[in-house]
Amino acid sequence: MPTIFTKIVKGEIPCYKIAEDDRFLAFLDINPLAKGHTLVIPKKETDYIFDLEDEVLADLNIFAKKVARAIEKTVTCKRIGIAVIGLEVPHAHVHLVPINNIGDLSFANPKLSLSEQELASIAEAIRSNL
Ligand code: AMP
């Protein structure tokens, strides 16, 4: 059974896309901790991030760096926090979250409720800063 992220990769379900190349995809988290909260995934489905081949893991982070730079330019924050959880979706991904304080990266925090229009406009703004 393909993961929800594989369905996004295949275009079977929509996402607020930020960037992609042949191996990686970045899109907004639909239940964000902060405006600009983005997920970066390898297109090839692997559950656990530390099961990725070394080169894929390294390149995932390099791809995430470009995306983080664009988020920084878009959202006012001290820096972009990076986290790996993976307890909900069994498809390796990193969370890029704009933060100002250590607590901003807590996944126990309430999620923002953003409209489709707000998410689309944030994604467009980040894309324009890539
Ligand atoms: P975790 O696997 O614990 O790292 O959490 C998975 C993350 O994926 C959560 O932050 C969800 O809000 C996010 N998520 C789940 N489904 C989607 C989706 N269809 N589009 C964007 N983000 C999603």
Side-chain angles (χ1 to χ4, degrees):
M1 172 101 164
T3 66
I4 191 158
F5 291 171
T6 291
K7 289 181 181 167
I8 289 174
V9 169
K10 290 183 172 171
E12 292 169 5
I13 61 169
C15 72
Y16 297 94
K17 192 184 290 185
I18 303 296
E20 75 175 324
D21 67 10
D22 55 328
R23 289 182 299 157
F24 305 107
L25 174 66
F27 53 95
L28 292 184
D29 192 305
I30 39 159
N31 293 305
L33 283 171
K35 282 187 181 179
H37 180 168
T38 296
L39 303 176
V40 184
I41 68 166
K43 288 185 172 179
K44 184 166 172 248
E45 192 175 309
T46 297
D47 176 357
Y48 185 40
I49 195 160
F50 294 125
D51 285 333
L52 293 174
E53 290 182 16
D54 290 355
E55 191 185 339
V56 177
L57 180 59
D59 291 348
L60 175 72
N61 279 285
I62 293 166
F63 188 87
K65 177 179 172 180
K66 280 185 242 165
V67 173
R69 291 291 188 216
I71 301 171
E72 279 166 11
K73 287 184 198 157
T74 311
V75 179
T76 306
C77 60
K78 278 201 180 144
R79 55 182 57 208
I80 304 300
I82 183 167
V84 174
I85 313 292
L87 292 173
E88 184 187 319
V89 179
H91 185 140
H93 54 281
V94 298
H95 295 257
L96 300 177
V97 185
I99 57 170
N100 293 297
N101 302 292
I102 192 166
D104 294 343
L105 201 50
S106 168
F107 283 77
N109 289 344
K111 307 297 185 297
L112 298 184
S113 184
L114 300 178
S115 68
E116 288 184 14
Q117 209 170 10
E118 283 175 298
L119 289 163
S121 113
I122 293 164
E124 191 183 346
I126 297 171
R127 283 196 303 271
S128 74
N129 282 320
L130 277 166

